[in-house]
Amino acid sequence: MQPLLAITTLLGGIGLFLVGMWLMTDGLKLAAGQALRDLLHSWTNTRVRGLGTGFMITGLVQSSSAVTVATIGFANAGLLTLEQAIWVIFGSNVGTTMTGWLVVLIGFKVNIEFLALPLIGIGMFLRLTGIKARRAAIGQALVGFGLFFLGISVLQEGFTAYASGMSLPPVRGSFFTMLPVYVGIGLILTTLMQSSSAAMVITLSAAASGLIPLGAAAAVVIGTNLGTTTTSLVSVIGATATAKRVAASHVMFNLITAFAAVLILIPMLEITTRLQALLHLPDAPATTLALFHTVFNILGVLLVWPVARRLTRVLKKRFVTLEEIAGRPAYLDDTSLAVPAVAAEALLKELERLGIGAVRSVHAVLDKDADFNGNYPDPATAESLGTAIADYVSQLNRTDMPENVARTLPTIIQITQQYVMLCNLAVEVMKLQGQMRINDPELKQGIDVFKGHVSGIFDQITGNISDDDIARMQSRLDTVESEYESLKAAILESASRGELDMTSVDIQLQINNLIRRMARQIIKAVLRLHDIRNSLSGMVPADSGKMIEND
């Protein structure tokens, strides 16, 4: 095969790979309901289940690259947590050893195109026949799966012919001198063909024909294991931070496993041959290599098992986005739990931080400057911080604490929920406002007046709320309620004059109701926070949260 054709084939295969990844991720996000999320969680909710899932799927698909990219796709779509995805990846590494056994014992290899092309056809059928239905998203995900399988196939076809004429060089010099060379050969073969399975076939054939000794072939096998990491590295171009961490875990696992296998290569081969005899397996170099491949991948799992939690913590500190930084607590520290009063104060500071972010989000919408990129917390960021606050409350609740601190904890959870809800409501308003085009100048003025009164409530939000502030906020809320009813009548009147269609009427009424809810939520949250401060300072709570009816 000509070098230029090989390069264009490589680029085309990578392109198919990335397009498939993109379609699969977006399709999963659209199609995944709570049921799919629960199913994936139940499959991977423990280390052993994650390992088993990765092992079984890789054994069936016969492509650890495909399973790795699929796992990264699930993580990218938020369907798998970092911890769950890591163990699926580790299981996939063990599962890839099944190829060697199939070649040795059966001589069978699955054709990826046999799986990819039907997926693309079925996926497009679902996509075209269900434009607005859920099956369209499922179809998109299937097309994505098929395309990245096809990308692997294109890469294989482009380089298999080129590699089929390759012959592994004989060992010259000392074995330990040539060891890095043979590891590198395995890595390069797998990288070029994007298939450790194909590289394994070449290695097994070379060993079976006596072209290279068993030790050198084992080093090539180690290299093929390392080569699978290139697929995951390509697949995370433009992906989320979680997906990049999953790919990094794959690289780290394979590096640890390869390093350990190289260090103890000779003893491990000795153990493998003894185990081979014990299991009454055929006395052939290919069988020894297949067993060696399995043994050193299992060794890798055993090595990372005790340090997996530390590895996860390290990865969570890498590839950090601005949103994740905003979603991490700034004041909550486990050492404060020993002093409940200090822990309660830390919770209040974190609540105020979340509240400030929520207020900024609302202002962004009311001021027609809804930019959530780095300036205001999006719902996911707010929920992340809210979860951290709730977890800290749960830990504090398990300690001995004064009654006034214990009494505030349920209210803290309630306020957290309201602040998170404010961010969600702000995004809903932002999306609906993008659909509105109002030409009636009087109606526009009425909407601006209504928003101005709500904005005035949020302008009053400060760290310390006095009784006078509470009275002013209640007065402003009464005005908002009055303006809400007036604006509702103005919208209906505009529709009666033919200046608003019924769809626009419905959207604008939704917007107004959401804005009113934001005003009610922030006042309830602030008043409850005021009560908490009174309780912690020894004053009798005024229970001012009851001043507003439940929303």
Side-chain angles (χ1 to χ4, degrees):
M1 180 176 288
Q2 297 177 0
L4 181 60
L5 181 58
I7 293 172
T8 56
T9 304
L10 173 64
L11 293 175
I14 292 174
L16 281 172
F17 213 58
L18 294 176
V19 170
M21 181 71 178
W22 167 57
L23 288 174
M24 182 190 70
T25 299
D26 283 358
L28 288 171
K29 285 180 180 177
L30 293 172
Q34 190 61 39
L36 178 58
R37 190 183 300 272
D38 291 343
L39 183 62
L40 284 171
H41 181 75
S42 66
W43 280 0
T44 60
N45 61 352
T46 66
R47 293 184 177 190
V48 174
R49 286 190 177 188
L51 281 170
T53 299
F55 175 81
M56 287 187 293
I57 295 176
T58 305
L60 291 172
V61 175
Q62 282 298 289
S63 174
S64 63
S65 299
V67 175
T68 297
V69 175
T71 304
I72 291 172
F74 284 127
N76 204 33
L79 300 176
L80 286 177
T81 65
L82 176 61
E83 291 83 356
Q84 291 171 322
I86 282 176
W87 287 102
V88 174
I89 292 288
F90 294 168
S92 175
N93 275 275
V94 179
T96 195
T97 65
M98 292 299 294
T99 299
W101 289 110
L102 289 173
V103 172
V104 169
L105 302 177
I106 305 174
F108 174 75
K109 187 175 184 300
V110 173
N111 185 349
I112 284 182
E113 288 187 20
F114 181 77
L115 177 64
L117 295 179
L119 280 177
I120 294 172
I122 294 170
M124 283 308 301
F125 176 78
L126 292 175
R127 185 77 177 86
L128 294 174
T129 58
I131 300 299
K132 294 184 179 180
R134 187 180 181 188
R135 68 175 180 271
I138 296 173
Q140 179 177 322
L142 288 176
V143 171
F145 271 113
L147 284 177
F148 81 70
F149 278 129
L150 195 59
I152 293 172
S153 180
V154 168
L155 292 172
Q156 287 177 327
E157 289 178 5
F159 288 103
T160 297
Y162 188 73
S164 61
M166 290 182 179
S167 61
L168 296 176
V171 175
R172 292 186 176 91
S174 71
F175 170 71
F176 291 103
T177 302
M178 294 296 293
L179 188 58
V181 174
Y182 277 93
V183 172
I185 289 172
L187 190 153
I188 292 170
L189 280 177
T190 305
T191 300
L192 288 178
M193 292 180 287
Q194 285 297 290
S195 171
S196 61
S197 302
M200 274 291 293
V201 171
I202 293 174
T203 308
L204 293 175
S205 301
S209 64
L211 179 63
I212 56 173
L214 186 63
V220 176
V221 170
I222 295 171
T224 64
N225 225 52
L226 270 177
T228 60
T229 60
T230 59
T231 303
S232 58
L233 292 175
V234 170
S235 68
V236 295
I237 297 174
T240 63
T242 298
K244 290 176 181 176
R245 291 173 190 137
V246 174
S249 74
H250 186 210
V251 174
M252 292 173 72
F253 175 85
N254 283 40
L255 284 173
I256 292 170
T257 304
F259 184 71
V262 167
L263 281 181
I264 57 172
L265 178 58
I266 301 302
M268 186 174 290
L269 277 174
E270 179 66 26
I271 292 171
T272 301
T273 53
R274 289 175 181 246
L275 184 61
Q276 184 177 354
L278 185 64
L279 296 174
H280 303 290
L281 294 172
D283 184 15
T287 306
T288 306
L289 288 176
L291 184 58
F292 170 77
H293 193 200
T294 302
V295 168
F296 88 73
N297 272 285
I298 292 175
L299 172 65
V301 172
L302 296 176
L303 287 174
V304 299
W305 190 281
V307 297
R309 286 192 175 87
R310 184 178 298 175
L311 174 64
T312 303
R313 287 196 298 268
V314 169
L315 288 172
K316 283 183 176 179
K317 295 177 182 178
R318 300 293 182 269
F319 314 108
V320 180
T321 62
L322 291 175
E323 290 79 7
E324 287 181 314
I325 293 172
R328 291 180 179 177
Y331 301 102
L332 306 182
D333 191 301
D334 289 348
T335 57
S336 300
L337 293 170
V339 185
V342 175
E345 188 60 35
L347 278 168
L348 292 185
K349 287 183 178 179
E350 206 65 66
L351 264 182
E352 287 179 4
R353 178 169 168 250
L354 177 59
I356 289 171
V359 168
R360 287 177 178 172
S361 297
V362 174
H363 270 308
V365 174
L366 296 178
D367 297 341
K368 301 180 182 179
D369 181 30
D371 175 16
F372 289 89
N373 296 323
N375 296 320
Y376 314 106
D378 60 12
T381 301
E383 286 173 12
S384 177
L385 187 54
T387 299
I389 292 172
D391 290 343
Y392 196 79
V393 167
S394 177
Q395 293 180 64
L396 182 57
N397 215 2
R398 291 193 290 268
T399 65
D400 294 329
M401 70 189 89
E403 183 181 349
N404 64 333
V405 173
R407 191 168 54 240
T408 65
L409 298 185
T411 309
I412 288 175
I413 295 294
Q414 203 170 16
I415 298 170
T416 302
Q417 181 189 24
Q418 287 166 335
Y419 283 152
V420 172
M421 185 186 297
L422 277 172
C423 292
N424 284 300
L425 292 175
V427 172
E428 288 184 47
V429 171
M430 178 186 67
K431 291 177 180 177
L432 290 172
Q433 285 183 157
Q435 304 174 33
M436 285 300 299
R437 295 292 182 272
I438 298 176
N439 299 318
D440 184 345
E442 290 186 10
L443 182 56
K444 277 186 177 180
Q445 184 179 3
I447 292 172
D448 289 341
V449 170
F450 174 63
K451 286 184 176 180
H453 286 296
V454 175
S455 185
I457 291 176
F458 282 85
D459 287 337
Q460 287 185 296
I461 305 304
T462 60
N464 296 311
I465 302 295
S466 66
D467 292 337
D468 291 339
D469 291 329
I470 291 174
R472 281 194 294 270
M473 282 191 290
Q474 184 62 57
S475 176
R476 277 193 176 274
L477 184 60
D478 292 340
T479 304
V480 166
E481 296 288 352
S482 175
E483 288 292 337
Y484 172 80
E485 295 299 332
S486 299
L487 184 55
K488 183 177 180 180
I491 291 169
L492 297 175
E493 184 179 342
S494 182
S496 70
R497 295 196 301 266
E499 295 175 355
L500 273 182
D501 57 42
M502 293 310 297
T503 300
S504 297
V505 169
D506 181 57
I507 292 174
Q508 190 59 52
L509 289 176
Q510 288 184 59
I511 291 172
N512 296 344
N513 184 48
L514 291 172
I515 291 174
R516 180 181 67 159
R517 285 181 62 190
M518 290 193 297
R520 295 163 66 90
Q521 288 296 326
I522 192 62
I523 290 181
K524 285 196 290 186
V526 168
L527 297 183
R528 285 176 175 138
L529 191 58
H530 179 66
D531 285 346
I532 288 177
R533 289 202 171 278
N534 286 342
S535 177
L536 292 177
S537 64
M539 298 173 62
V540 178
D543 202 15
S544 51
K546 293 184 178 179
M547 293 171 64
I548 305 171
E549 298 175 2
N550 290 331
D551 194 354

